[in-house]
């Protein structure tokens, strides 16, 4: 029988519930268990696809085309749990489904209510992930205990243990134990209150994971255990990790979490093997190179907006044992100050995806700078479209070339709406989404990176390269290194004359893992390392030899 772990959060948001859930999943997998991950989000939007990255961070796209919460990115990076649209539900989806059932008359005239209809719907989406081949389903409940919108989810997971048996469920509550400078001590009261709220709903957490800046003394753990009604061993410290998020699983293991879960759920688990994970941290701690990469986007100040991009760069760094300083550059600042001031000195430039006109000209400027200076360049989705605009304007000579997303009347619509998109007006799940195959030119940089000629990549866009311009671009030195199998869509453009210039219409960042960097990110960072070492060699050559100074 599949066992269920529910992860809730208390006191404040942003405690890293997603990361903690992913870490638990990873550790259980490393103990030989088959795990499925799921996130239930209490907001009313049907999915985050229509939400601003300022509000919600990046939209994480799965192979099946679902647009999901960014925590699913953590799940994929940490675990091998296959993710589908069943891995992320929102209040909006739950209500939509119940209302559609009501419209079809499925409730036989009964009054439709939060309990039992909404809670039943929630329980049914949790059950969807269970199965003969699944040992553990980890369901993370978004939001913070005490939020009005979380209530039906908490009620549903309370009922869940009545349905499947208490022995098959485990409630893990992530909470904050703040350090109060004025009193020079850690405070356990917020945790006590938060667990108090859980108990009011009828859930007694089995395990408390306590986020803290400073180590929690045994005395404080005893206090938390007593007031929160859990055994001492179930008060697990999760201290802030300044160095890397990939330390989190190791610290949870050091504090006995995996053993406790295995014991409480009576799981038949193997002994833990975290060697690859330790190796990864070793590589991170012992860099052989130091380089810098500029990410030029319009949400530069908001780390979550390009979460998977930053992670994928880090993975490539681990792959090459390189420490990478990421410069988050505002594309609008480039419009004001010029690329030289903001980008000179970087070993690689990356333009990520995005929507809307703001900052586009800054991206185009940044790409021109990378192309003309021979700086490794990686364009992703909108970044690829901007690379096409730049090349069209400045190399092919197409005056005012643009994407019709930003200028409907451009004389040269080098990027235009996909045919299948022309009639679509509804937002939400209507873009070209999810995994599509892509055929690579065997002599391209991309094929060399992948080591394969047919790949699958995830998409999220409405616009594409306008095939009318293919010949002109090719005549000016662009190679269409990746095409859809029927050759109707351009998926990758490269400039072979340039040291490393690859721009892709898809989102490779969603398929990078710390244990297996994405081939294109690895290739890009490799090129940046090469450029950096060439730069250092050159500056060494131009330096006067020490004898001559002394002489
Ligand atoms: N706005 C562009 C499009 O819809 C690019 C999308 C993206 O970068 N994800 O095609």
């Amino acid at each position: 029988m599949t066992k269920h772990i529910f992860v809730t959060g208390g006191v404040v948001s942003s405690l890293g519930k997603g990361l903690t859930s992913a870490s638990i999943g990873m550790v259980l997998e490393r103990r030989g268990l088959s795990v499925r991950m799921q996130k239930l989000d209490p907001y009313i939007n049907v999915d985050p696809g229509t939400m601003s990255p300022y509000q919600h961070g990046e939209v994480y796209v799965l192979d099946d085309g679902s647009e999901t919460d960014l925590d699913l990115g953590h799940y994929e990076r940490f675990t091998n749990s296959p993710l589908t649209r069943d891995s992320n539900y929102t209040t909006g989806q739950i209500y939509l489904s119940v209302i559609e059932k009501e419209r079809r008359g499925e409730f036989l005239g009964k009054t439709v209510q939060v309990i039992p209809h909404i809670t039943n719907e929630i329980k049914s989406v949790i059950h969807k992930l269970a199965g003969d081949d699944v040992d553990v389903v980890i369901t993370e409940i978004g939001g913070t205990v005490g939020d009005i919108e979380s209530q039906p989810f908490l009620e549903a997971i309370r009922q869940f243990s009545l349905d499947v048996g208490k022995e098959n469920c485990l409630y893990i509550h992530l909470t904050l134990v703040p350090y109060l400078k004025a009193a020079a001590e850690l405070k356990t009261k917020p945790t006590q209150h938060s667990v108090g709220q859980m108990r009011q709903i009828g859930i007694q957490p089995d395990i408390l994971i306590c986020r803290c800046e400073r180590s929690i003394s045994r005395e404080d753990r005893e206090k938390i255990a007593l007031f929160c009604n859990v055994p001492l061993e179930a008060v697990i410290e999760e201290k802030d990790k300044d160095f890397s998020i990939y330390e989190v699983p190791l610290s949870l293991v050091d504090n006995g979490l995996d053993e406790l879960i295995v014991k409480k759920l009576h799981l038949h688990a193997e002994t833990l093997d975290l060697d690859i994970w330790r190796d990864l941290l070793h590589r991170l701690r012992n860099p052989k190179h130091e380089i810098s990469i500029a990410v030029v986007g319009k949400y530069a100040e908001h780390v979550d907006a390009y979460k998977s991009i930053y992670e994928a760069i880090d993975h490539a760094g681990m792959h090459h044992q390189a420490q990478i300083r990421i410069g988050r550059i505002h594309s609008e600042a480039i419009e004001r100050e010029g690329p030289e001031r903001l980008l000179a000195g970087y070993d690689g430039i990356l333009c990520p995806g995005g929507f809307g006109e703001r900052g586009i000209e800054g991206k185009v400027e940044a790409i021109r700078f990378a192309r003309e200076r021979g700086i490794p360049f990686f364009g992703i989705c909108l970044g690829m479209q901007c690379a096409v605009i730049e090349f069209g304007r400045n190399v092919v000579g197409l005056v005012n070339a643009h994407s019709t997303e930003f200028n409907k009347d451009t004389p040269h619509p080098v990027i235009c709406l996909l045919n299948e998109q022309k009639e679509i007006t509804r937002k939400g799940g209507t873009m070209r989404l999810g995994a599509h195959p892509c055929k690579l030119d065997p002599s391209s940089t991309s094929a060399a990176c992948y080591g394969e000629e047919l790949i699958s990549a995830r998409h999220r866009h409405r616009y594409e390269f306008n095939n009318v311009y293919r010949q002109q671009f090719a005549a000016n030195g662009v190679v269409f290194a990746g095409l859809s199998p029927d050759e109707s869509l351009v998926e990758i453009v490269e400039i072979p004359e340039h040291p490393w210039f690859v721009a892709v219409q898809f989102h490779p960042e969603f398929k990078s893992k710390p244990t297996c960097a994405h081939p294109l990110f690895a290739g890009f960072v490799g090129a940046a390392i090469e450029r950096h070492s060439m730069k250092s060699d050159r500056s060494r050559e131009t330096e006067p030899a020490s004898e001559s100074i002394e002489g």
Side-chain angles (χ1 to χ4, degrees):
M1 168 145 193
T2 306
K3 309 276 179 168
H4 291 266
I5 296 178
F6 296 104
V7 181
T8 54
V11 184
V12 289
S13 59
S14 305
L15 281 184
K17 245 186 306 149
L19 201 58
T20 303
S21 305
S23 302
I24 295 170
M26 186 279 265
V27 170
L28 294 182
E29 278 187 354
R30 301 257 160 225
R31 296 206 57 171
L33 298 163
S34 142
V35 174
R36 295 291 180 275
M37 306 287 306
Q38 183 181 49
K39 169 122 196 243
L40 304 181
D41 275 310
Y43 51 77
I44 295 172
N45 306 61
V46 171
D47 58 48
T50 51
M51 288 160 90
S52 155
Y54 281 114
Q55 288 260 314
H56 195 267
E58 82 178 357
V59 174
Y60 191 80
V61 181
L62 303 180
D63 270 346
D64 68 3
S66 33
E67 299 176 282
T68 70
D69 184 81
L70 57 77
D71 276 334
L72 275 80
H74 290 309
Y75 301 169
E76 274 205 328
R77 288 187 278 272
F78 279 70
T79 75
N80 299 313
S81 165
L83 299 185
T84 66
R85 52 184 80 249
D86 286 333
S87 314
N88 190 198
Y89 280 90
T90 66
T91 294
Q93 274 170 58
I94 298 285
Y95 271 78
L96 194 63
S97 164
V98 170
I99 291 168
E100 278 168 358
K101 284 182 187 167
E102 185 272 335
R103 294 287 85 181
R104 289 196 298 268
E106 286 182 28
F107 298 115
L108 306 172
K110 288 203 185 95
T111 307
V112 180
Q113 296 179 299
V114 173
I115 305 172
H117 300 99
I118 294 296
T119 47
N120 282 351
E121 189 70 24
I122 295 170
K123 287 191 287 181
S124 79
V125 305
I126 301 170
H127 277 298
K128 277 188 186 173
L129 292 198
D132 292 343
D133 57 337
V134 180
D135 296 311
V136 184
V137 173
I138 301 175
T139 301
E140 175 192 344
I141 311 295
T144 308
V145 171
D147 296 347
I148 289 177
E149 56 263 46
S150 300
Q151 297 272 351
F153 289 100
L154 296 172
E155 169 61 16
I157 64 168
R158 180 192 69 80
Q159 292 173 15
F160 201 90
S161 80
L162 287 181
D163 299 349
V164 303
K166 178 71 196 87
E167 67 288 2
N168 296 316
C169 292
L170 192 73
Y171 297 96
I172 298 182
H173 189 59
L174 187 65
T175 164
L176 178 72
V177 180
Y179 177 78
L180 225 63
K181 242 197 217 146
E185 54 184 35
L186 287 171
K187 288 291 173 194
T188 65
K189 196 72 84 189
T191 295
Q192 295 175 37
H193 281 304
S194 168
V195 172
Q197 261 177 326
M198 290 285 286
R199 288 161 70 185
Q200 258 174 29
I201 299 161
I203 300 173
Q204 166 63 54
D206 298 294
I207 297 175
L208 300 176
I209 299 183
C210 305
R211 282 294 308 269
C212 50
E213 267 176 68
R214 306 198 177 199
S215 282
I216 308 175
S217 65
R218 186 182 167 93
E219 209 184 331
D220 277 335
R221 284 180 51 233
E222 280 170 350
K223 192 164 155 193
I224 295 171
L226 180 68
F227 282 94
C228 298
N229 194 30
V230 296
L232 179 63
E233 58 170 4
V235 182
I236 307 274
E237 170 186 300
E238 189 187 322
K239 213 165 116 189
D240 294 354
K241 297 281 166 282
D242 301 328
F243 178 63
S244 165
I245 57 165
Y246 297 109
E247 290 178 291
V248 172
L250 292 171
S251 110
L252 293 175
V253 166
D254 288 344
N255 290 317
L257 183 64
D258 62 312
E259 214 28 67
L260 193 64
I261 293 175
V262 165
K263 192 173 88 185
K264 285 194 181 269
L265 283 176
H266 305 287
L267 292 162
H268 302 292
E270 294 164 9
T271 47
L272 185 65
D273 177 5
L274 278 179
D275 284 356
I276 12 176
W277 214 261
R278 286 188 213 282
D279 173 55
L280 191 133
L281 282 162
H282 173 81
R283 298 170 75 80
L284 255 181
R285 284 205 177 90
N286 299 284
K288 292 189 175 142
H289 315 274
E290 267 185 60
I291 59 155
S292 58
I293 301 280
V295 175
V296 180
K298 82 173 179 187
Y299 308 108
E301 70 283 20
H302 189 22
V303 258
D304 278 353
Y306 303 124
K307 183 107 202 142
S308 295
I309 298 268
Y310 299 137
E311 291 296 321
I313 294 175
D314 280 350
H315 303 160
M318 292 177 208
H319 174 87
H320 288 286
Q321 227 165 323
Q323 186 177 326
I324 304 181
R325 182 174 68 80
I326 299 180
R328 293 191 249 128
I329 313 289
H330 229 294
S331 50
E332 284 168 298
I334 294 183
E335 289 167 14
R336 287 191 303 270
E337 299 175 39
E340 177 74 48
R341 217 177 93 72
L342 295 170
L343 297 175
Y346 281 100
D347 305 305
I349 295 176
L350 185 150
C351 265
F355 297 81
E357 202 186 348
R358 188 165 61 80
I360 289 293
E361 293 305 324
K363 288 187 181 189
V364 171
E365 284 280 292
I367 296 167
R368 178 178 196 163
F369 186 79
R371 184 179 54 76
E372 291 181 343
R373 306 278 174 113
I375 303 168
F377 171 77
F378 194 9
I380 292 178
C381 208
L382 180 62
M384 176 267 202
Q385 299 175 354
C386 289
V388 167
I389 294 168
E390 190 281 317
F391 197 88
R393 288 181 189 172
N394 301 322
V395 181
V396 185
L398 304 169
V399 180
N400 292 332
H402 223 318
S403 161
T404 53
E405 180 178 3
F406 312 121
N407 178 1
K408 294 232 171 341
D409 306 317
T410 168
H412 294 292
V414 286
I415 301 292
C416 62
L417 207 54
L418 280 154
N419 273 337
E420 68 204 37
Q421 288 289 327
K422 290 194 174 137
E423 306 301 319
I424 295 174
T425 49
R426 248 174 92 97
K427 300 266 183 288
T430 58
M431 285 185 240
R432 178 174 182 235
L433 287 166
H436 291 275
C438 169
K439 211 170 58 173
L440 303 181
D441 173 344
S443 62
S444 62
T445 302
S446 302
C449 291
Y450 277 100
E452 289 176 77
E453 284 172 29
L454 185 69
I455 56 143
S456 168
R458 294 184 192 168
H459 293 249
R460 182 170 187 258
H461 61 115
R462 293 188 200 280
Y463 294 82
E464 61 159 344
F465 183 88
N466 185 346
N467 287 330
V468 167
Y469 294 95
R470 265 206 217 178
Q471 279 238 287
Q472 268 174 291
F473 273 68
N476 281 281
V478 159
V479 161
F480 298 103
L483 297 173
S484 57
D486 66 359
E487 305 198 348
S488 66
L489 299 174
V490 169
E491 310 283 34
I492 308 179
V493 298
E494 291 183 9
I495 303 178
E497 242 181 38
H498 188 281
W500 208 93
F501 193 106
V502 177
V504 299
Q505 183 56 84
F506 48 84
H507 289 275
E509 71 274 23
F510 295 144
K511 289 182 67 164
S512 185
K513 285 180 176 245
T515 48
C516 181
H518 189 281
L520 291 179
F521 276 89
F524 170 59
V525 166
I529 292 171
E530 207 168 299
R531 178 180 167 86
H532 186 85
S533 51
M534 267 160 44
K535 253 186 353 197
S536 329
D537 287 350
R538 241 179 286 135
S539 64
R540 234 172 283 134
E541 272 165 29
T542 50
E543 259 167 28
S546 51
E547 301 97 85
S548 62
I549 296 175
E550 283 164 12

